Amino acid sequence: MGKLGCVVAIVIGLLVLGLIVMKDYNKLVGLREDVNKKWADVESQYQRRADLVPNLVATVQGAASFEKETFQAVAEARASVGRAQLPAQEAPDDPAALARYEQAQAQLGSALQRLLVVVERYPELKANANFRDLQAQLEGTENRINVARTDFNQSVQGYNTTLKRFPTVLVARILGFKEKAYFQGAPGSDKAPAVQFNFGGQPTPAPAPAQ
């Protein structure tokens, strides 16, 4: 009876352990898939911005053909984004790789801002309906990028926090789950770039940062 009791206890223990592992595994899978979805959303918005660049440049170039340095900066920044692409299927777990990707995207954003400043020298562009439409699309995309990045970081935080909790951390190590990297924006990058113009000859000033 004693041996039977030990066997029963071992079996029950293994069942309980199996249930814990299964529960933690399923939870981690769900959280990881949410992170991956949020990453896909980020990628989608960045791609949408990249797709706007050729039409925006072509529209501006038609009226501002002498701004070659600005156009070159935009082209180089867009190419840099292409070289820094990360796998779209899964959110990155390498902070250095994500930092390089983020830097490339920031360079493109900065180059686009310089391009829009150029417009102030060409009143005919500010009256161009096609340009105004592209500008509105760019502004909306910048806002969506900001939202997507915030949602991604929140999802990563939930996943990483769960990953580090005991006993989940033991299950995660055994089954190969890894922490995901966060976006680490520069100061002020939590706000979408200002791309609005008042069409009165002067750029609309960006709002003062909140104190």
Side-chain angles (χ1 to χ4, degrees), residues 112-164:
L112 287 172
Q113 288 306 296
R114 293 197 299 274
L115 179 65
L116 291 175
V117 169
V118 164
V119 173
E120 288 302 301
R121 305 176 195 151
Y122 302 90
E124 64 271 28
L125 264 177
K126 294 185 290 184
N128 184 304
N130 185 44
F131 170 76
R132 290 201 303 268
D133 178 62
L134 289 168
Q135 179 187 326
Q137 290 185 56
L138 178 61
E139 180 184 359
T141 300
E142 294 290 358
N143 288 330
R144 283 188 285 271
I145 286 172
N146 185 48
V147 171
R149 282 167 53 110
T150 299
D151 289 347
F152 172 75
N153 271 359
Q154 290 175 346
S155 183
V156 170
Q157 181 182 33
Y159 170 77
N160 286 349
T161 299
T162 301
L163 195 69
K164 296 175 182 178

Side-chain angles (χ1 to χ4, degrees), residues 26-36 155 158-159 162-163:
N26 288 338
K27 185 172 185 178
L28 287 172
V29 167
L31 291 171
R32 185 177 63 186
E33 288 307 303
D34 185 67
V35 171
N36 290 339
S155 183
Y159 170 77
T162 301
L163 195 69

Side-chain angles (χ1 to χ4, degrees), residues 46-152:
Y46 274 132
Q47 184 60 52
R48 187 173 188 273
R49 181 175 70 176
D51 290 343
L52 286 173
V53 171
N55 286 339
L56 184 63
V57 169
T59 301
V60 176
Q61 198 169 23
S65 57
F66 299 106
E67 306 291 345
K68 294 181 180 179
E69 184 177 341
T70 303
F71 299 135
Q72 183 178 357
V74 172
E76 290 176 352
R78 190 171 185 267
S80 177
V81 165
R83 291 191 296 270
Q85 286 299 317
L86 295 170
Q89 299 300 319
E90 187 170 352
D93 50 40
D94 181 0
L98 182 57
R100 289 191 295 271
Y101 174 84
E102 184 177 14
Q103 183 180 22
Q105 294 290 357
Q107 288 174 348
L108 178 56
S110 178
L112 287 172
Q113 288 306 296
R114 293 197 299 274
L115 179 65
L116 291 175
V117 169
V118 164
V119 173
E120 288 302 301
R121 305 176 195 151
Y122 302 90
E124 64 271 28
L125 264 177
K126 294 185 290 184
N128 184 304
N130 185 44
F131 170 76
R132 290 201 303 268
D133 178 62
L134 289 168
Q135 179 187 326
Q137 290 185 56
L138 178 61
E139 180 184 359
T141 300
E142 294 290 358
N143 288 330
R144 283 188 285 271
I145 286 172
N146 185 48
V147 171
R149 282 167 53 110
T150 299
D151 289 347
F152 172 75

